[in-house]
Amino acid sequence: MANSTMEIVAIVATLVGLIGAAASTGMPMWRVTAFIGENIIVMETRWEGLWMNCFRQANIRMQCKVYDSLLALPPDLQAARGLMCCALALCGIGILISVVGMQCTSCIVNNDRAKRLVLIIAGSLILSSCICVLIPVSWTGNVIIRDFYNPLLLDAQRRELGEALYIGWVASAFLFAGGCIFICCNIQSDEKESQRYLYPRNTDYRSYTPQPLMPLQPLQPQQLVMIPQPRSQPMLSRQPSTIYSYDSRYPSVRSGIAYL
C-alpha cells in the first residue's frame, strides 16, 4: 500500500491543481487584445473570460460586464463553462474521498483493501477532473491561435492567449500527477498482499521461547513390522475360466470341474 508520504504529496498536488482550476475558471483573462500591425493603441486593454468582459485603461479602473446571454458566446466558451464547473466538482469530491482512505486517517480501520479501493476511486475522479480542465483550455487556445493566423480577420479582432489558459494547463498537470500517484501506488494484487494478523487490545502478551529441535532417530531393523498382504480367493463359476496359473498355460482343473 502507498506510504503516507506519497499520499500527502498526491493530496497536496491535487489541492494546488484545484486552486489553479478555480482561479482559471474565475479569471477573465482567457482572451487578451493583441497589439499588432496598426493596432498600436496600448491605452486600452480588453479581456474576455468565461463569465464577463473587462476593459482597462491607463488611468482608469478595470471595468467588467457580465455576458447578457449564454447563447451569444462562441461554442468553445460555452463548453468551457460546463467542463470547468464539472472539473471543480470532481476534484473536490476526489479530495474528500481520498481523505477517507489515507493512512493518516482512521475512517476505515483494519481494512487495507478497502482503503486502496477508496484511493483508486479518488484518483480516478481526480484524473477525470484533469481531463475536464485540459479540454476547454486546449480548445480555446487552439481557436485563438487559429484566428490569429486567419488572414480574413482584422488586426483588431485578433486575440492572444491569456494568463488563465496558462494557469489551466499548469493546474491540469498538478491534477494529473495527483491522480496518477493515488492510482499507481495503490494497485496491488491480492497474492502479493502482506498477511496481517489482528489481535484484540485486551489480550495479554506472552513471549514465546523457542525450543530446540530434537534430532530424528532412524528406526532399527527390529522395529520394522511386516504387514501381510491379503490374497484373493478363487470364485466358482459355470463359465470356463480364462485364468491361467503361473506354471501352466492350460486352464486349471478346478475351473473345469466347476464348468461340469
Side-chain angles (χ1 to χ4, degrees):
M1 191 172 182
N3 51 24
S4 301
T5 304
M6 297 301 296
E7 292 177 355
I8 294 175
V9 171
I11 197 169
V12 169
T14 305
L15 287 173
V16 174
L18 177 61
I19 295 173
S24 178
T25 304
M27 291 175 62
M29 294 82 169
W30 283 62
R31 298 183 179 185
V32 184
T33 304
F35 302 102
I36 56 175
E38 298 179 357
N39 187 16
I40 60 175
I41 302 177
V42 297
M43 301 288 293
E44 180 179 354
T45 305
R46 180 178 180 181
W47 294 330
E48 298 177 5
L50 298 180
W51 314 97
M52 61 187 72
N53 278 335
C54 296
F55 295 90
R56 183 177 181 179
Q57 296 180 355
N59 298 324
I60 304 177
R61 295 181 180 179
M62 183 175 60
Q63 299 178 357
C64 298
K65 180 183 179 181
V66 181
Y67 293 120
D68 297 331
S69 175
L70 176 63
L71 300 178
L73 296 176
D76 56 332
L77 293 182
Q78 293 182 11
R81 277 189 175 187
L83 290 175
M84 293 300 290
C85 293
C86 290
L88 295 177
L90 290 174
C91 186
I93 296 173
I95 291 176
L96 294 178
I97 294 177
S98 64
V99 172
V100 175
M102 294 180 65
Q103 289 186 358
C104 56
T105 59
S106 58
C107 299
I108 301 176
V109 184
N110 299 333
N111 196 342
D112 292 343
R113 184 174 183 180
K115 282 193 172 186
R116 290 200 310 271
L117 182 60
V118 169
L119 290 179
I120 290 175
I121 294 175
S124 302
L125 293 176
I126 294 172
L127 285 181
S128 300
S129 67
C130 169
I131 296 175
C132 291
V133 172
L134 192 60
I135 289 176
V137 172
S138 301
W139 187 4
T140 305
N142 181 34
V143 172
I144 293 174
I145 295 174
R146 183 190 61 189
D147 294 340
F148 186 85
Y149 293 102
N150 188 1
L152 300 179
L153 295 179
L154 300 177
D155 293 340
Q157 297 177 344
R158 297 178 182 180
R159 298 291 183 266
E160 290 184 356
L161 302 175
E163 293 84 352
L165 298 181
Y166 297 102
I167 295 176
W169 280 317
V170 175
S172 63
F174 276 99
L175 292 175
F176 180 78
C180 288
I181 292 174
F182 276 131
I183 293 177
C184 297
C185 294
N186 291 279
I187 294 179
Q188 182 180 1
S189 61
D190 296 336
E191 298 178 358
K192 298 182 180 180
E193 182 181 1
S194 60
Q195 299 293 335
R196 297 184 179 181
Y197 300 93
L198 304 178
Y199 300 94
R201 296 182 179 179
N202 55 0
T203 303
D204 296 335
Y205 174 77
R206 297 180 181 179
S207 60
Y208 173 75
T209 304
Q211 300 294 333
L213 297 177
M214 300 299 293
L216 297 178
Q217 298 180 357
L219 297 177
Q220 301 297 329
Q222 294 80 3
Q223 298 178 356
L224 298 178
V225 179
M226 301 298 295
I227 300 176
Q229 297 292 336
R231 297 182 178 179
S232 58
Q233 298 295 332
M235 298 180 62
L236 298 178
S237 175
R238 293 183 176 273
Q239 301 295 332
S241 175
T242 58
I243 300 176
Y244 298 91
S245 61
Y246 293 100
D247 300 333
S248 175
R249 298 182 180 179
Y250 299 96
S252 60
V253 179
R254 184 180 297 177
S255 62
I257 296 174
Y259 176 75
L260 296 176

